[in-house]
Amino acid sequence: MTAPAAPKKRASRRSALDPDELAALEEQRDFLLRSLADLDREHDAGDLEDDDYQTLRDDYTARAADVLRALDEQRAAFDDARRPRNLGRTLAWVGGVAVFAIVSGVVVAGALGARKAGESSSGGISVEQTSTQKANACIPKMQTDPQGASDCFEGILKDDPKNVVALTWSAWQLSLSADNFDETEQLTAKALAAVRLDDAVESDPNYSYARAFRAIVAYRNGRYDDAARYLQDFKDHDPAADAAAIIQQMDLEANLAAAQAGATTTTTTP
């Protein structure tokens, strides 16, 4: 299969929307996401060697990340641009219990304890909230008003695309909501969640939640080798106790080891 050309670089997120370019980007996105799904099926069927699979998957994933970023830039040209088709409606269907099945015990700590140095805590006197404080305030809404939380995160990312809190928690919400999508939207949501978590780690390497969710999302997406690497990376960066609690609640290390063992057995069984 022939990969489409990489998206053109734009000078600004505020560039005028080009409908033809948007259509081309959406076509590239669909092609790349279908290609990723095809690769997984071929690998699971034993028709693709592990090394070839990983090389192709890394290439398509990188291309898909570029396309998804480009689509975000195009949609940001519209004041009413929010998210990919159906995303808002689907997020609204996701109940608070489902979204917080894993992190219910630490969500308040995530909202209040994830401040950067120099920021005041909730209840402190502040003339104007920083974008990070605003993003922290979005987190509790995920439990009671998932649509409102999504709008809150997207509004912050529109003005501050590198906001580590909004990137991290919107990615987590996308990952947990993805199972409610149709196949194409599910792949888009999973890919966008992975891209945002990579961006979050790059934006602030010391934000433990970003590294924790990156490992968990990779595991949820069946990328077990990446998940193992991300989990070790998480451990190597002196993680915050609340972020470590999420990993422990999921029993990620044991579940990941079992998943890797099962994948190895499936691959080697004639």
Side-chain angles (χ1 to χ4, degrees), residues 120-150:
S120 62
S121 62
S122 178
I125 299 175
S126 177
V127 175
E128 183 177 355
Q129 283 188 318
T130 67
S131 60
T132 296
Q133 288 172 320
K134 292 177 182 177
N136 282 327
C138 299
I139 298 173
K141 295 179 183 179
M142 292 170 64
Q143 187 171 14
T144 58
D145 182 12
Q147 180 63 67
S150 179

Side-chain angles (χ1 to χ4, degrees), residues 13-15 17 70-82 158:
R13 284 177 58 89
R14 304 295 181 182
S15 59
L17 181 68
L71 279 168
D72 273 351
E73 291 174 4
Q74 283 284 301
R75 291 193 177 96
F78 286 117
D79 289 340
D80 61 347
R82 294 297 184 193
K158 183 176 180 180

Side-chain angles (χ1 to χ4, degrees), residues 13-82:
R13 284 177 58 89
R14 304 295 181 182
S15 59
L17 181 68
D18 180 344
D20 291 335
E21 182 178 1
L22 180 60
L25 286 169
E26 290 178 337
E27 184 178 349
Q28 290 180 52
R29 177 203 61 189
D30 293 345
F31 172 85
L32 289 164
L33 293 174
R34 285 196 306 270
S35 297
L36 282 167
D38 290 343
L39 281 175
D40 288 340
R41 282 193 287 268
E42 290 177 21
H43 181 254
D44 291 344
D47 297 332
L48 194 61
E49 297 292 335
D50 290 346
D51 290 344
D52 291 338
Y53 166 75
Q54 194 61 53
T55 298
L56 289 169
R57 199 180 199 288
D58 288 347
D59 176 62
Y60 281 124
T61 299
R63 289 175 178 270
D66 287 341
V67 171
L68 287 168
R69 289 190 183 98
L71 279 168
D72 273 351
E73 291 174 4
Q74 283 284 301
R75 291 193 177 96
F78 286 117
D79 289 340
D80 61 347
R82 294 297 184 193

Side-chain angles (χ1 to χ4, degrees), residues 6-269:
K8 297 178 181 178
K9 299 287 185 181
R10 275 164 299 283
S12 169
R13 284 177 58 89
R14 304 295 181 182
S15 59
L17 181 68
D18 180 344
D20 291 335
E21 182 178 1
L22 180 60
L25 286 169
E26 290 178 337
E27 184 178 349
Q28 290 180 52
R29 177 203 61 189
D30 293 345
F31 172 85
L32 289 164
L33 293 174
R34 285 196 306 270
S35 297
L36 282 167
D38 290 343
L39 281 175
D40 288 340
R41 282 193 287 268
E42 290 177 21
H43 181 254
D44 291 344
D47 297 332
L48 194 61
E49 297 292 335
D50 290 346
D51 290 344
D52 291 338
Y53 166 75
Q54 194 61 53
T55 298
L56 289 169
R57 199 180 199 288
D58 288 347
D59 176 62
Y60 281 124
T61 299
R63 289 175 178 270
D66 287 341
V67 171
L68 287 168
R69 289 190 183 98
L71 279 168
D72 273 351
E73 291 174 4
Q74 283 284 301
R75 291 193 177 96
F78 286 117
D79 289 340
D80 61 347
R82 294 297 184 193
R83 57 192 58 80
R85 179 178 56 84
N86 291 337
L87 182 56
R89 185 175 70 247
T90 306
L91 283 174
W93 297 340
V94 180
V97 173
V99 173
F100 274 87
I102 299 300
V103 297
S104 58
V106 298
V107 65
V108 174
L112 301 180
R115 299 183 305 276
K116 292 185 177 180
E119 294 177 355
S120 62
S121 62
S122 178
I125 299 175
S126 177
V127 175
E128 183 177 355
Q129 283 188 318
T130 67
S131 60
T132 296
Q133 288 172 320
K134 292 177 182 177
N136 282 327
C138 299
I139 298 173
K141 295 179 183 179
M142 292 170 64
Q143 187 171 14
T144 58
D145 182 12
Q147 180 63 67
S150 179
D151 289 342
C152 187
F153 289 132
E154 296 301 326
I156 290 168
L157 289 172
K158 183 176 180 180
D159 295 327
D160 183 8
K162 294 299 183 182
N163 185 282
V164 65
V165 176
L167 284 169
T168 298
W169 290 86
S170 67
W172 182 234
Q173 186 177 28
L174 277 167
S175 177
L176 291 178
S177 302
D179 290 342
N180 296 276
F181 297 2
D182 61 32
E183 183 176 1
T184 298
E185 293 291 340
Q186 183 178 119
L187 289 168
T188 300
K190 288 181 177 180
L192 182 56
V195 167
R196 286 190 172 182
L197 288 168
D198 284 340
D199 287 347
V201 172
E202 181 180 352
S203 176
D204 185 351
N206 295 318
Y207 189 64
S208 294
Y209 287 106
R211 293 185 187 276
F213 288 144
R214 185 169 65 164
I216 295 169
V217 167
Y219 165 74
R220 286 171 55 83
N221 291 351
R223 296 163 47 214
Y224 301 136
D225 290 343
D226 285 342
R229 179 163 52 86
Y230 294 153
L231 179 58
Q232 187 59 53
D233 181 65
F234 170 78
K235 293 178 180 179
D236 291 342
H237 282 79
D238 190 22
D242 292 329
I246 296 173
I247 298 291
Q248 292 168 1
Q249 282 183 344
M250 282 204 65
D251 199 10
L252 181 61
E253 192 161 10
N255 287 330
L256 180 55
Q260 286 181 302
T264 301
T265 301
T266 300
T267 302
T268 58
T269 300

